[in-house]
Every structure is written in C-alpha cells, then in structure tokens.
C-alpha cells in the first residue's frame, strides 16, 4: 500500500487533500497533531476515510504539545468510529489502555505501535527488541529511523522481512530512500510517499516517481 501524509493546518483543507491523495494512493495519514483546533467531530469525519489517525506527541518528533488526556480521548473517538488505523507511540504510557478500549468496544481499528529516531538507526539487535515490544502491545509494529549507511538499510529491510505483514519499517533521509521503495516487497504493510512536494518526514519519495520505479522494477 501507498500512504500519503496529510499535513494541512486546517481540517477542511485536510479533508480536501485526503480526497485528492486517495486518487493516487491506497490510504492517507491524517497528521492530526499538525491541525489547529481539532475536535472529536473532526476525528469522526477523518475516520470515514481509509486512513491512519496520528496525533504525534512533540516528545516523539510531532507537533502535539497539548494535554495528553485530550490526545488519548481523540484516539478513543477514532477507535469508536472504527478508523482503519491509529498510530500511537511505544513510549506512550497509555498505549495498552487504548488497545483495551479497542477490544472492549469491539472496534475494527488496527493499532500501530511506533518508534521514531531522527538521529540514527539502532543496530539489528536493538531494532529487533523494539519491534518485539511493539507487537506485544499492538497489531502492527512501526519504526522510522534515520538511515546513514548501507548497513542501516540492510538491517531495516532484514527486520521488515522477518515480520512480514505485521510491520511498517522505514529508513528516513537520503540513504533510507531504498527502504521506502523496496520495503513493501520485503514485507512492510505500506510505504509513506509525498505528493506535490509535501512530506511529513525526510526522504519520502514522490508518489508519481514511486509508482514509475515500481513499474520499472516489475
């Protein structure tokens, strides 16, 4: 799957961007942390789209710096309305609470547990520990780490391949672009791609270019 991040500041614009993105992608990621004045009704609207609802905390590289209880309540609204996915951090103390809430409400939402490192890619053994911890909590493990070498790229793809179908593995930065192109073939559930030059993380490949590369590889 190809996922395009929606990074607008205004909810109405974000919904319009999502509709446009879904003409060329399989799913969108609503970066709710980047939106201004978002409320539960807005989350309900977003949950109707094939999407990942992400409210990334500032301590994990996101833009959300408000009350964490409100953030958790917004996630619960997404779950109640069976959003396709939510993405919550491995370091979030209430991630298990969200999983329990999902189970108790019989929601269809899949919960992605994620880890981000904007400085480096941990070695293979450390990445393995991170992924195993994530899968002990949620449905899907996700990591996005800064790739600085071919060894980093190989470690990322090796981990992705070992957890095929249960993982989203990404190498950020220029060196990591190969993981964005090849990750799905190695077993990643999806890859994040930019549209019209708008990206949410370093190294995202433009969706048109990505599709052309995939065609050439086939």
């Amino acid at each position: 799957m190809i996922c395009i991040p929606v990074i607008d500041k205004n909810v109405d614009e974000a919904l319009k961007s999502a509709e446009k993105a879904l003409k060329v992608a399989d799913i969108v990621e609503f970066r709710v942390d980047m939106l201004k004045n978002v409320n539960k009704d807005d989350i309900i609207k977003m949950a109707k789209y094939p999407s990942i609802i992400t409210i990334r905390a500032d301590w994990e590289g996101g833009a959300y710096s408000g009350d964490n209880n409100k953030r958790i309540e917004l996630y619960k609204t997404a779950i109640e309305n069976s959003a396709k996915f939510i993405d919550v951090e491995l370091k979030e103390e209430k991630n298990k609470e969200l999983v329990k809430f999902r189970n108790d409400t019989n929601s269809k939402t899949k919960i992605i547990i994620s880890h981000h490192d904007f400085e480096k890619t941990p070695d293979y053994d450390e990445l393995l520990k991170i992924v195993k911890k994530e899968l002990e909590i949620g449905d899907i493990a996700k990591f996005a780490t800064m790739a600085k070498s071919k060894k980093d790229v190989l470690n990322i793809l090796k981990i992705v391949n070992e957890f095929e179908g249960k993982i989203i593995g990404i190498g950020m930065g220029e060196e990591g672009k190969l993981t964005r192109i090849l990750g799905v073939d190695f077993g990643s559930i999806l890859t994040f791609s930019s549209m019209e030059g708008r990206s949410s993380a370093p190294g995202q490949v433009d969706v048109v270019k990505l599709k052309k590369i995939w065609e050439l590889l086939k």
Side-chain angles (χ1 to χ4, degrees):
M1 285 196 296
I2 295 176
C3 179
I4 292 178
V6 175
I7 55 175
D8 297 270
K9 308 294 184 186
N10 174 275
V11 173
D12 289 338
E13 289 301 317
L15 296 176
K16 289 177 183 177
S17 292
E19 290 175 6
K20 188 174 182 180
L22 287 168
K23 292 177 181 178
V24 291
D26 304 290
I27 192 170
V28 294
E29 178 188 36
F30 285 111
R31 283 296 302 268
V32 178
D33 54 302
M34 295 184 175
L35 290 167
K36 294 181 179 178
N37 304 318
V38 66
N39 57 44
K40 290 184 177 182
D41 288 339
D42 298 323
I43 297 293
I44 292 169
K45 292 176 185 176
M46 293 176 204
K48 294 177 181 178
Y49 293 84
S51 64
I52 304 170
I53 305 293
T54 301
I55 317 171
R56 182 73 65 233
D58 54 358
W59 42 260
E60 187 83 2
Y64 188 87
S65 58
D67 179 66
N68 198 54
N69 289 326
K70 180 183 177 183
R71 189 173 82 109
I72 297 301
E73 288 304 311
L74 290 175
Y75 272 132
K76 286 182 177 179
T77 298
I79 291 168
E80 286 175 322
N81 289 273
S82 288
K84 192 170 182 65
F85 301 100
I86 65 165
D87 180 330
V88 63
E89 304 84 3
L90 178 61
K91 294 177 184 175
E92 170 52 58
E93 294 179 354
K94 295 188 175 183
N95 51 31
K96 291 181 181 178
E97 178 184 322
L98 289 171
V99 174
K100 184 178 185 300
F101 181 82
R102 188 277 308 274
N103 295 341
D104 289 346
T105 55
N106 294 315
S107 169
K108 296 179 181 178
T109 299
K110 297 292 185 183
I111 298 179
I112 301 167
I113 304 294
S114 61
H115 167 83
H116 302 79
D117 191 328
F118 293 89
E119 296 182 0
K120 67 184 185 307
T121 293
D123 62 26
Y124 171 83
D125 290 339
E126 184 61 28
L127 268 181
L128 187 62
K129 287 179 185 177
I130 289 167
V131 170
K132 285 182 176 180
K133 284 181 183 177
E134 291 174 337
L135 288 175
E136 285 173 2
I137 301 167
D139 306 295
I140 298 161
K142 175 191 167 187
F143 66 86
T145 59
M146 184 60 69
K148 294 184 176 180
S149 66
K150 290 181 176 66
K151 185 176 180 180
D152 288 345
V153 170
L154 288 171
N155 282 337
I156 290 166
L157 292 176
K158 185 178 180 182
I159 292 285
V160 166
N161 190 236
E162 288 181 23
F163 293 90
E164 184 174 359
K166 297 186 290 184
I167 193 168
I168 300 166
I170 299 157
M172 294 185 286
E174 287 299 309
E175 196 73 42
K177 282 187 176 180
L178 269 178
T179 68
R180 297 182 182 276
I181 294 167
L182 300 176
V184 172
D185 281 339
F186 275 75
S188 185
I189 290 171
L190 57 82
T191 187
F192 291 90
S193 184
S194 63
M195 186 174 75
E196 298 176 349
R198 305 177 73 205
S199 63
S200 61
Q204 287 177 359
V205 181
D206 177 79
V207 63
V208 176
K209 290 181 180 178
L210 179 63
K211 286 187 171 183
K212 284 181 180 179
I213 292 168
W214 282 359
E215 285 176 13
L216 288 170
L217 289 174
K218 289 177 181 177

